Amino acid sequence: FDAENDGDFDYLGLGGFDLSAFIDETNPGALLINDGHAHFSALLGALEADHTRRNDHGLAIGDLDGNGFEDIVSVSIINRPVSFPFIPHSFGYGGYLDPFAGWAPVWEPTGEGDLWRWNQVPMENGTLAIEMNQGDPNNRWIDVDLVGTVGLTDHGAVNRDGIGAVVRFTPEGGQTASQPILGGSSIASQDSLTAHFGLGRARKGTLEIVWPGGVKNRLYEVRAGERLRVPEIPCDYSAPQNAGRYGACVRGALKDLLRVGAISRAERDRLLASALRAFEER
């Protein structure tokens, strides 16, 4: 996810794994910031929750407070008590996490053949952590919610949440970023279905949606700070066809969306202008 809204995607990984005989704790939380060229550097101290004792499994991203920056929700299945022994690893891989990596023994050998003994320190219940992202207030953003029109219009082909679509955004003077709309994220978790894009310092850009099945729609002049609700228009501007047929398809689809109350007249006019412009530019 784009932690800073600077237009490129960063990486967040939370670790911890129960291996029965011991608990692996090689990753107490890694937030890696992208410089725009796929070179990542660790942003130490960015995570407020103490992930060093949490066996994190569930992780989801979404803007909870509506401030334009995506927040972090995580769930651990167990937490290691403070009194539980933690043993640093005696080896490393040359990464910044090496000093934090270790393991916690749950079972110990008795010295009597293959018999092992539980160390009798019970684990704490897992917890929910919500970490709010303040980000860089000078960086801009947009939010995009997709509306598939199956069951909404006669010619709708895509599920109502737009799952399976790929949303692309190109800020003015910047690089294109792509984000798929997925059903499911981390273990038993679901990211927000809102496609969120950072613009950096740009003020506007161009949005393109590739719907499941390959139909492409485009929206121009998307302004920073907009929260868009974009419906499926089952007319592909990139497909070989004549202008009259394409225009009739778009106008018919928008008429149906207006009739069922999915869009306003102003939204219809905006979507129509962009659709015709996309076909002409192709």
Side-chain angles (χ1 to χ4, degrees), residues 172-184:
E172 194 173 49
Q175 297 181 334
T176 299
S178 299
Q179 184 172 340
I181 306 300
L182 303 176

Side-chain angles (χ1 to χ4, degrees), residues 13-245:
L14 302 179
F17 194 63
D18 185 356
L19 294 167
S20 296
F22 66 94
I23 296 174
D24 170 70
E25 295 190 7
T26 51
N27 178 10
L31 178 57
L32 306 181
I33 299 299
N34 188 351
D35 69 352
H37 302 282
H39 301 135
F40 293 86
S41 57
L43 188 60
L44 298 175
L47 301 176
E48 291 187 354
D50 181 6
H51 294 276
T52 60
R53 296 189 297 109
R54 301 177 81 234
N55 199 320
D56 289 299
H57 273 218
L59 172 61
I61 300 294
D63 184 1
L64 298 177
D65 57 357
N67 71 342
F69 290 89
E70 291 186 296
D71 308 303
I72 302 166
V73 179
S74 62
V75 175
S76 60
I77 56 170
I78 54 174
N79 292 355
R80 174 175 55 83
V82 176
S83 60
F84 203 94
F86 175 78
I87 302 174
H89 279 306
S90 58
F91 61 91
Y93 293 98
Y96 80 98
L97 288 175
D98 283 351
F100 308 101
W103 57 285
V106 179
W107 293 79
E108 302 168 344
T110 63
E112 300 177 14
D114 58 358
L115 294 179
W116 289 62
R117 179 189 301 110
W118 176 45
N119 64 14
Q120 301 187 36
V121 180
M123 290 292 172
E124 297 176 356
N125 290 333
T127 52
L128 171 73
I130 300 175
E131 297 173 271
M132 308 303 292
N133 182 4
Q134 301 307 312
D136 183 340
N138 295 313
N139 284 340
R140 302 181 177 98
W141 51 271
I142 66 163
D143 279 341
V144 182
D145 287 311
L146 300 186
V147 182
T149 57
V150 161
L152 191 62
T153 65
D154 292 339
H155 301 289
V158 176
N159 64 86
R160 296 292 284 276
D161 287 323
I163 291 173
V166 177
V167 186
R168 297 173 179 155
F169 185 76
T170 308
E172 194 173 49
Q175 297 181 334
T176 299
S178 299
Q179 184 172 340
I181 306 300
L182 303 176
S185 54
S186 179
I187 298 174
S189 304
Q190 173 65 59
D191 289 334
S192 169
L193 292 175
T194 298
H196 180 92
F197 294 94
L199 278 67
R201 299 299 195 267
R203 295 183 178 276
K204 61 181 180 179
T206 300
L207 180 72
E208 180 160 296
I209 301 161
V210 183
W211 298 95
V215 171
K216 294 181 181 179
N217 296 162
R218 184 176 286 179
L219 185 62
Y220 295 91
E221 303 297 323
V222 177
R223 297 177 299 277
E226 283 200 88
R227 300 180 187 273
L228 298 169
R229 192 167 180 266
V230 183
E232 169 199 7
I233 301 175
C235 316
D236 185 354
Y237 79 83
S238 68
Q241 58 192 307
N242 63 57
R245 182 176 180 180

